[in-house]
Structures are given as C-alpha cells and as structure tokens.
Amino acid sequence: MKKLLNTLYVTQPDTYLALDGDNVLLLKGDEKIGRLPLHNLEAIVSFGYTGASPALMGYCADRNISITFLTPSGRFLARVIGESRGNVILRKTQYRISEHEEDAVKIARNFITGKIYNHKWILERMTRDYPLRIDVEQFKSISGQLSDILREVRNSNNLESLRGWEGQAAVLYNQVFDQMILQQKESFFFHGRSRRPPKDNVNAMLSFAYTLLARDTAAALETVGLDAYVGFLHQDRPGRASLALDLMEELRGIYADRFVLSLINRKEVAAADFVTKENGAVLMTDEARKTFLQAWQTKKQEKITHPFLDEKISWGLVPYAQALLLARFLRGDLDEYPPFLWK
C-alpha cells in the first residue's frame, strides 16, 4: 500500500515554483516565500497561471511526484507526471474492456452501485442522528426509492440504462441535500447542482472538493499502473481523466459531500469566505481555500476500516485501495470489482 505523504497546495495564484537542490522553492516575484523538502511530498497542487520550472518538473517526474495546475477558482488545467511504469498487460486489458460495452458495464455497475448505496446510508444516518431537524418521512421514502434503483442497477446490461438510473438516483438525493445543511442556512443552501460556474457557496465548495478528489483518484490509478484517462462509464474525452471520474463516483457522497457539509455545520466557513463575480460565479477567497485545504488534509489522515479489506486505513488511502482492487480484478485475481460500501 502506498505511504500517505503530504500534498503541497500553493494557493497564491502569482507564485512560481522552482527547484533548489532537493527542495521546492516558492517565489513571488524576486522574493522567496517558502522552501520545502521534496522527499516529504507525494504531490504538488498549484492554483494559478505562473507555473513551475522545467528542472522542478523533471525532478518530480523522476520521483513520481505529480504536479497539478488548477485555475485560481479550482478548475483543472493540467497534470505533470513521469513516464508510465505500469504493467503493459494491465493497461492493454483496460483498453480492451473500455472498447466493449458488455464488459465495461459489469465494472460500471459496481461504481454506480457503490455511489447509490453510499448515498442511501448518508440519508439513513441523518434520520438516526438528526430526527428532529429533518423531514424523516421524506428521507425514509427516498432511501427506499434508492434501494429500488439499486436493484435496477444490478440488472442493467448497457451503459445508457445505467446512466439513466444513476441520474434518477442523483435527482432524489439532491432533493434532500439542502436539509442536511443544519447551520448558517441564510448563507448556505442547495437548490440544485451548478458547475461551470458554481452559482452559490455550497456549489463552490462541492466543485472544489470534487476537483481535489478527482486529482487524488487519478494519482491513485496511475500509481497502480492504470490509465486514469480511459474509463468504463465516462466516455473518453481529450483532457478528461475518465477512469478517475468513474472510480470517484462511489466516494463523492461519503467523502466530498459529507466533508463540505461538516465544514458548514461546524461553522468552519462563513459567508465572508466567498465572493461573487460579475458573471454570477461564486468563488472561495484565498483564505477560505487555505482553511478548506487544511481541513481536507486532516480528513485524509482519519482512520476507517475498509469494508472489503477489513483493515484500518486512512481516508486518504481509500482511492489507492480502490484503484488497487480494480487492478487486481483486471488482472484476474478477483472475480468482481468490490465497490467501497460505507455504512
């Protein structure tokens, strides 16, 4: 299992990254604002357009340290990684399955099964923990409907129907998402998903969390030798890490959504942490991103028991565990890919 090291998040958009011996040097104009040893890092994520030196990128590529570039608002731009050291037989199997829907749907079914199952248990936990603050009857009704959809998903034999059932489940789950926001209701509300750009504080946080989760998942897939850009559920598109989007489906609710809800409900973010642009886009301030990222790193260190492996691991290693299980299935070591089923 991969050792969980630190990720360096560079949130100031005008910071240039350079190599200084075995260290990454952070420069703002001619001023040196930071210097960190690279042997403690597994990844670097930079927000902005200033960039990084070729020497630093080459050093990191040789040592399997990924560098991801995002816009100041958190939209993915590019990721620099080293040469592929993955098992060529494993990737050829991945490519073959991605081209045959009958084989691809067997894996995609389990991604969506994990997602809907986990959404169902998020709702069930809410009815258990906050029965006086939510509409329990509505939550129970939607949980039951999600159970019905799960049965349909298990019987789906093509990607079109699978995407249809996943869409219906998402609509049901989103109907009660706003009720799970228990604090600061005047500033934090959810009336539906808005992406490009996010139109409210909650959507801004969800988009940011999904970006971070996708980056972690893509890195996990590359680590075990898979191609993060060739998926089974999401269609191939230039620049899109389709398999990372596939694998993170089962983690969206239990990892990203619950993380965002916890920041709001614990009042670790506030209305003043967001700004609205002229086009209606809502963005987090630089200080808010720092708070968000610090909490994200803390979340990654929390221990859980993996439901399939029956081992205690940190949340940050869950994407790596699932990527490893997917690789084992593709190699023929497992009869079926086991999704992460949280309860």
Side-chain angles (χ1 to χ4, degrees):
M1 184 69 72
K2 180 181 175 69
K3 184 180 178 182
L4 183 63
L5 299 175
N6 293 318
T7 298
L8 170 63
Y9 294 99
V10 183
T11 60
Q12 295 183 354
D14 52 356
T15 301
Y16 183 75
L17 309 178
L19 183 67
D20 181 15
D22 292 321
N23 304 283
V24 55
L25 190 64
L26 281 64
L27 301 170
K28 190 173 183 179
D30 295 328
E31 180 186 0
K32 297 179 181 179
I33 61 173
R35 184 172 179 272
L36 291 93
L38 284 160
H39 67 267
N40 288 331
L41 298 178
E42 65 174 351
I44 299 172
V45 180
S46 178
F47 295 81
Y49 303 102
T50 307
S53 71
L56 176 66
M57 289 190 283
Y59 182 100
C60 291
D62 286 343
R63 290 157 180 81
N64 200 30
I65 302 172
S66 67
I67 305 178
T68 303
F69 297 97
L70 308 176
T71 67
S73 63
R75 183 173 59 82
F76 177 83
L77 290 173
R79 188 162 70 98
V80 179
I81 56 174
E83 64 176 293
S84 173
R85 297 181 176 87
N87 186 321
V88 64
I89 303 300
L90 175 63
R91 291 203 175 198
K92 287 178 71 174
T93 301
Q94 176 188 356
Y95 299 149
R96 176 183 57 77
I97 291 176
S98 72
E99 294 294 328
H100 293 85
E101 181 171 344
E102 183 178 346
D103 295 326
V105 75
K106 295 176 183 177
I107 304 175
R109 267 201 308 254
N110 286 12
F111 293 144
I112 299 306
T113 294
K115 177 179 183 177
I116 298 174
Y117 178 95
N118 291 333
H119 281 180
K120 170 185 169 62
W121 283 104
I122 290 173
L123 304 189
E124 289 291 339
R125 277 207 176 187
M126 287 298 296
T127 64
R128 183 195 69 186
D129 296 339
Y130 304 100
L132 301 180
R133 306 191 64 179
I134 63 171
D135 185 339
V136 172
E137 185 176 345
Q138 185 182 18
F139 271 66
K140 286 291 187 181
S141 173
I142 290 179
S143 176
Q145 292 177 71
L146 292 180
S147 294
D148 294 338
I149 291 176
L150 276 173
R151 285 189 284 273
E152 297 293 345
V153 166
R154 296 306 298 169
N155 293 324
S156 294
N157 55 16
N158 64 80
L159 293 175
E160 183 178 357
S161 67
L162 192 59
R163 294 186 185 107
W165 289 118
E166 187 274 334
Q168 289 189 40
V171 169
L172 290 168
Y173 172 75
N174 286 339
Q175 285 178 11
V176 292
F177 191 90
D178 187 66
Q179 291 189 55
M180 293 189 279
I181 302 171
L182 305 175
Q183 302 288 340
Q184 309 184 86
K185 297 290 287 187
E186 68 285 350
S187 302
F188 294 92
F189 45 81
F190 183 84
H191 297 155
R193 189 76 177 99
S194 58
R195 297 174 177 82
R196 299 184 181 90
K199 297 291 188 178
D200 55 61
N201 298 346
V202 174
N203 272 291
M205 296 175 71
L206 288 173
S207 291
F208 195 31
Y210 294 155
T211 296
L212 296 176
L213 182 56
R215 185 202 65 80
D216 290 346
T217 306
L221 290 164
E222 296 286 348
T223 297
V224 302
L226 290 166
D227 188 335
Y229 289 83
V230 178
F232 304 121
L233 176 66
H234 290 83
Q235 294 179 339
D236 295 343
R237 185 182 300 171
R240 183 169 79 172
S242 295
L243 187 58
L245 296 178
D246 285 356
L247 193 65
M248 69 179 275
E249 286 293 351
E250 60 204 69
L251 302 178
R252 281 181 185 267
I254 55 168
Y255 201 141
D257 292 1
R258 292 180 72 241
F259 174 77
V260 167
L261 289 168
S262 70
L263 290 184
I264 298 170
N265 291 335
R266 292 201 302 255
K267 299 184 178 180
E268 295 182 32
V269 291
D273 291 324
F274 300 83
V275 294
T276 303
K277 298 295 186 180
E278 292 181 358
N279 65 350
V282 176
L283 306 177
M284 283 188 286
T285 65
D286 186 53
E287 285 301 315
R289 281 203 302 268
K290 290 179 182 177
T291 298
F292 193 103
L293 292 167
Q294 288 170 355
W296 184 263
Q297 288 291 84
T298 300
K299 172 71 174 178
K300 288 171 70 172
Q301 302 293 336
E302 291 180 7
K303 297 290 186 180
I304 61 162
T305 300
H306 192 282
F308 181 80
L309 299 174
D310 196 27
E311 295 179 9
K312 277 199 171 296
I313 63 173
S314 63
W315 266 113
L317 286 179
V318 170
Y320 291 97
Q322 294 308 117
L324 183 61
L325 290 170
L326 178 59
R328 289 178 62 186
F329 166 70
L330 294 177
R331 289 192 178 100
D333 298 332
L334 293 173
D335 293 332
E336 189 175 10
Y337 164 72
F340 187 87
L341 303 178
W342 175 84
K343 192 172 180 180

